[in-house]
Amino acid sequence: MPNQRISSLDWGSIRFVPILHNLLEFAQEVRRQFREFRPEVVAVEYPETLMEPILRGVARMPLLSVVSYEEEDGVLTYLVLEPTDGQVEALRLALAEGVPVHFVDRDTADYPYDFRVFPDSYAVRRIGHQAYCDAWLRSDAAAGAVVQEDLLREKTMAYHLQRLSAEGRRVLFVGGLAHLAGVRREIEAPQARVIGRTHRDGVMLAHLHRDSSREILSETPFLAAQYEAARSGGEAEGLDRLEVQARMVRLAGERQWQHARERLSVQQLRVLNRFARNYALLSARLVPNFYQLLVAARGAVDDNFAYEVWEIGSDYPWQSEQPDLPVLRLSGEDLFLDQKRIRFHRRLKQMRRRLVPVPVRRRAREAAPGEWRRSFRGEAICSYPPEDLVIEGYGQYLKKKALEVKTEENVRIEPFTGSMQDGLDVRETVRRWATGRVYVREERPLRGRVGSVVVIFDPDEPGGEGKEAYPWCVTWLGEHDQESDMAFYSTPAGEVMKGPGISLCQHGGFMLTYPPMRVFDIWKDPFFGQARNKPERLLMAAIDYSLEQHVVYVAAEPPSGRCRSVAARLGKTILYLPIGIFSAETLRKMRSFHVLDGHPVRRYAHRYV
C-alpha cells in the first residue's frame, strides 16, 4: 500500500477516515464525513480497555478530561481528550445521534514514539482530505519502519472491522493516518483475534487543571475554544485556522489598547504577518504555530503585546472551579511534548523589584477603584516637565533629520569630466562599472531652517457612528524661552489615571512651533476653519506660525494639496517624512504623556510616573 495511490477510502461497508490526532482540520473532516456517510456504527482507534472512562470524558465535553493509568513498569500514561481530535469528534457525534461506538485498537504497553513527519494539516483545507492522504502515502515517510507493536495493533483493528463489516451495517472508522496502509493491507486477509489485554485496572478519569490547559493542548487553546463555539453553532466545518489567528491578534491589539493605550499600527501588523509566515515556511509549515506567532508578535511589536497574544491564545474558557472529578495538573514534560520556552520581559515595575535586590519604592494604589478619576477636576491642567524635555528634544531631532534627508535627495550625481565636485560616488561608479566611467557627486545643501514640526500618529478619522478615538484638542504655550508652543489632539485627560491628579493620555498628533508664547488656540481659531480634519489643522497652524522657511510633517500619508497651496502662498516649504522610517519603539514613547491636575501635582508626580 505505501507508495501507491488509494482510489477510495471505502472498503465494503466501511469508510476509513484517516486523521492526524488533535488537529482541527481532521476533526472538521470527521464531521463532514459523518454527515455525508450517515454511519450505523462508529469505530475508533482506542483500546476497548479504556472505553468506559473515555466515553465519560467525551460526555462531559467541552470540559477537558484526562484518562490516566499506570503501566506495569510504574510509568504513568496520560491521554488528554481534546475537542479538536478527530476520534473525540466522532464519539461526540455518535453519542449525540445515538449511533453505537466500538473501540477496535489493541491495548499496547510501552508503545514506541513515532517520529515520522507529516505535512502541515492546513493543506487538507486547500487540497482536500483524500489528496492529502494520497500524497502522504506516496511519500517515503509512509514506508517507514513498522515495529512489531504496529503489526499487532493493525491486525487487531482489521479483525474488529471485519466483524463489524460482516454485520452489513455502515461503519465509519476513524484512526491514525500512519496506520491506514497497514489496516487496509491486513483487512484484505481473514484475521484471527490477536492475544492481548482485555481488561485494565486502575484507570482514572480526571479534570485537567486550567493552568495545564494553557500548556499541553495540541492545538492553541484559543483555536480549540473557537472550534467548540463554532461547533455549538453548527459552523465548525467553516472555521479557518488563518482567520482564527488573525482574530486572536486583533483581540490582543484591542486589549493592549485598553491596558496601555498603545494601538497596533498597520505597519506593525504587516511585519508581524510576514515574520510569522516566513518563520512557518522555514520550519516546513504552511501556517505558523502558536510559538512562532508569539515570537513574531514580540519581534514586530514588543513583549507586552506578545504577552497579550499569549494571554488570549492560551485561554480555554470552558473550565470549572468545582469539577465533578479529581483535578490533574500536567506539564509538557509529563507528556514528553516537544516544547519551546518563551519568556516575556514586560514593562512592569513589579518584575524589576523581583530581579533587582535593592529596596524599590512601592507604587501607591487607589484606596477604592475610581477614586483618582473622581478627584480629577481638569480646571488648571499642566504638563509633566521631564516629558516636555523629551518631546522638545525629539522635535529638534526631527528638524535635523528632515534637513539631512532632503539634503541627501538634492545630491546630484554625474560622470566625472573635469572636477571632482564634492567627491567620488563609489556606489554609482561600481553600479555602472561596465561603462568605464567614474561618477562624482555634487551636494547642494537645503537652504533655510525648520520652524515648526508636526507629527501625526493617527489621523483619527471618525468611525461609522462619528466616534473619535482622540477627541481632546488642546493648545499649550511654552512656559519658558527654551520650550515651544504646542497644539495636539489626544485621548481625554482623566480617563486613565496613574496617580492622584495624574492622567495618562495618548497623542493622536501634535504640533511644535518655536519661539513660545505666540500661538492662539488653533482649535478655536477661525483662520484654520478650512481644514477638513485634525492633521490639516495642525499643519496649517504650523505653516502659519513658523518663522522659518521649512515645516516638518511626519505622518503615514503625505500632506494634502490644500496644505501645500497654503504653504506656497506663505512662502513656506513642507518637508514630508513618512512615519514608517522612524523607530516604532521611539514613536510609542512619544505618544504617551501625562497631564497633571494643577502645578502642585508636579511636586509628587515623579512618584507615580
Side-chain angles (χ1 to χ4, degrees):
M1 183 65 69
N3 298 321
Q4 295 180 5
R5 178 183 175 82
I6 55 174
S7 58
S8 171
L9 292 174
D10 293 341
W11 185 88
S13 62
I14 302 174
R15 171 163 293 186
F16 289 78
V17 185
I19 64 168
L20 299 183
H21 297 292
N22 301 323
L23 292 177
L24 169 72
E25 288 76 12
F26 290 94
Q28 293 174 313
E29 181 64 19
V30 169
R31 287 183 63 85
R32 191 186 70 79
Q33 297 271 4
F34 192 95
R35 302 297 182 201
E36 176 186 295
F37 188 61
R38 304 184 68 80
E40 297 173 295
V41 177
V42 168
V44 293
E45 184 194 323
Y46 283 136
E48 193 174 5
T49 54
L50 304 180
M51 186 173 186
E52 190 273 336
I54 287 178
L55 290 181
R56 277 205 295 138
V58 170
R60 62 190 299 270
M61 285 278 184
L63 295 176
L64 298 176
S65 306
V66 181
V67 177
S68 66
Y69 55 89
E70 184 176 354
E71 301 283 5
E72 294 178 353
D73 57 359
V75 175
L76 289 172
T77 299
Y78 302 100
L79 174 63
V80 182
L81 302 178
E82 303 184 30
T84 54
D85 182 69
Q87 293 186 99
V88 170
E89 182 59 60
L91 292 176
R92 295 179 76 180
L93 290 171
L95 294 178
E97 300 285 339
V99 177
V101 296
H102 289 264
F103 286 30
V104 298
D105 201 358
R106 181 174 185 268
D107 191 329
T108 304
D110 300 328
Y111 184 73
Y113 288 97
D114 189 348
F115 295 103
R116 280 179 287 182
V117 178
F118 292 87
D120 194 327
S121 63
Y122 190 70
V124 173
R125 187 168 185 82
R126 297 300 182 188
I127 66 174
H129 179 251
Q130 181 158 343
Y132 180 96
C133 297
D134 281 340
W136 189 81
L137 288 173
R138 291 198 302 272
S139 68
D140 294 337
V146 177
V147 297
Q148 183 66 21
E149 288 81 357
D150 280 328
L151 289 175
L152 296 177
R153 289 182 60 191
E154 289 161 1
K155 283 180 175 293
T156 302
M157 287 187 272
Y159 165 76
H160 286 295
L161 291 176
Q162 286 176 344
R163 293 191 59 188
L164 292 173
S165 177
E167 298 174 4
R169 293 185 292 177
R170 295 189 299 275
V171 181
L172 184 75
F173 171 59
V174 180
L177 175 60
H179 296 290
L180 174 63
V183 175
R184 291 290 296 265
R185 180 183 61 245
E186 299 297 337
I187 204 170
E188 296 293 342
Q191 297 293 329
R193 186 182 182 106
V194 178
I195 298 175
R197 186 193 297 271
T198 58
H199 177 73
R200 180 180 286 278
D201 292 324
V203 181
M204 185 182 75
L205 181 67
H207 176 78
L208 184 65
H209 192 274
R210 187 186 191 93
D211 293 343
S212 299
S213 67
R214 291 180 179 272
E215 183 178 352
I216 67 168
L217 292 189
S218 302
E219 286 285 15
T220 306
F222 181 80
L223 178 62
Q226 292 289 307
Y227 177 72
E228 189 64 38
R231 188 181 184 281
S232 61
E235 301 174 349
E237 296 170 42
L239 199 64
D240 187 287
R241 183 185 295 270
L242 280 175
E243 293 176 358
V244 172
Q245 288 188 351
R247 193 178 310 152
M248 182 167 62
V249 171
R250 186 173 65 252
L251 290 176
E254 292 174 0
R255 183 173 293 190
Q256 190 182 25
W257 170 252
Q258 293 173 357
H259 292 171
R261 284 290 186 264
E262 294 175 6
R263 195 181 295 280
L264 188 65
S265 69
V266 175
Q267 184 188 11
Q268 288 174 322
L269 186 61
R270 189 180 300 123
V271 172
L272 188 156
N273 289 332
R274 190 183 304 131
F275 190 126
R277 180 203 62 190
N278 292 344
Y279 196 179
L281 292 178
L282 285 174
S283 55
R285 295 178 58 87
L286 298 176
V287 179
N289 58 30
F290 192 31
Y291 173 79
Q292 292 169 338
L293 199 62
L294 289 174
V295 173
R298 183 166 64 180
V301 188
D302 58 13
D303 279 64
N304 275 27
F305 178 71
Y307 180 82
E308 300 294 355
V309 175
W310 178 83
E311 185 73 16
I312 291 176
S314 63
D315 184 46
Y316 183 79
W318 286 277
Q319 295 287 347
S320 175
E321 297 297 330
Q322 296 179 339
D324 53 342
L325 296 172
V327 179
L328 188 63
R329 284 178 178 267
L330 291 176
S331 65
E333 289 77 9
D334 295 325
L335 302 179
F336 304 101
L337 299 179
D338 181 20
Q339 291 190 314
K340 292 183 178 179
R341 189 178 299 275
I342 185 168
R343 299 181 185 278
F344 300 107
H345 301 281
R346 301 174 66 198
R347 298 187 301 276
L348 296 176
K349 289 187 176 181
Q350 51 266 36
M351 292 191 67
R352 187 170 181 77
R353 283 202 299 270
R354 187 178 64 183
L355 296 175
V356 181
V358 295
V360 179
R361 170 172 51 85
R362 192 176 186 82
R363 184 173 180 175
R365 297 187 179 279
E366 293 175 295
E371 177 190 7
W372 292 343
R373 180 180 297 183
R374 288 191 294 271
S375 63
F376 190 87
R377 298 181 180 278
E379 297 173 351
I381 59 173
C382 62
S383 61
Y384 182 50
E387 292 177 344
D388 295 340
L389 295 176
V390 172
I391 204 164
E392 198 69 34
Y394 192 64
Q396 295 299 325
Y397 162 75
L398 292 178
K399 292 178 181 178
K400 182 179 177 182
K401 178 75 174 180
L403 292 177
E404 290 176 353
V405 170
K406 296 305 175 183
T407 298
E408 185 67 22
E409 291 177 358
N410 287 339
V411 170
R412 187 172 67 182
I413 300 172
E414 58 187 18
F416 171 75
T417 53
S419 171
M420 289 298 292
Q421 302 287 4
D422 292 310
L424 177 67
D425 191 279
V426 178
R427 184 171 62 179
E428 190 66 16
T429 301
V430 172
R431 194 168 71 87
R432 301 190 181 188
W433 187 259
T435 64
R437 307 187 67 175
V438 174
Y439 287 80
V440 296
R441 57 190 288 127
E442 180 185 3
E443 297 178 354
R444 293 180 293 178
L446 189 67
R447 297 181 182 278
R449 295 192 295 179
V450 177
S452 302
V453 173
V454 177
V455 179
I456 304 299
F457 301 102
D458 188 332
D460 195 23
E461 298 291 343
E465 301 176 355
K467 187 176 181 181
E468 298 176 335
Y470 306 92
W472 197 42
C473 302
V474 180
T475 300
W476 274 349
L477 299 179
E479 297 183 43
H480 49 78
D481 60 358
Q482 295 185 9
E483 189 175 60
S484 302
D485 288 342
M486 182 179 188
F488 61 86
Y489 60 95
S490 71
T491 54
E495 188 175 83
V496 178
M497 303 301 296
K498 290 297 179 180
I502 305 171
S503 176
L504 174 65
C505 298
Q506 292 280 327
H507 282 301
F510 66 79
M511 181 273 290
L512 297 173
T513 184
Y514 188 83
M517 302 300 291
R518 298 179 299 122
V519 178
F520 180 66
D521 188 350
I522 71 164
W523 305 106
K524 298 178 180 176
D525 193 341
F527 185 74
F528 308 118
Q530 59 179 319
R532 292 169 296 189
N533 50 41
K534 296 171 186 173
E536 275 195 7
R537 183 174 281 264
L538 284 179
L539 183 53
M540 288 182 180
I543 295 169
D544 185 50
Y545 283 105
S546 176
L547 300 183
E548 305 294 344
Q549 181 180 355
H550 303 298
V551 173
V552 174
Y553 183 69
V554 180
E557 300 291 336
S560 64
R562 177 174 301 187
C563 291
R564 290 189 185 278
S565 298
V566 170
R569 286 201 302 271
L570 297 177
K572 309 287 176 60
T573 305
I574 301 174
L575 306 181
Y576 168 64
L577 298 177
I579 197 169
I581 67 174
F582 297 100
S583 162
E585 180 65 16
T586 302
L587 292 174
R588 184 189 63 76
K589 293 178 180 177
M590 289 299 110
R591 293 192 71 168
S592 299
F593 69 104
H594 293 83
V595 177
L596 310 184
D597 195 13
H599 285 77
V601 182
R602 286 181 172 176
R603 291 199 298 269
Y604 61 83
H606 64 280
R607 287 185 279 166
Y608 297 89
V609 176

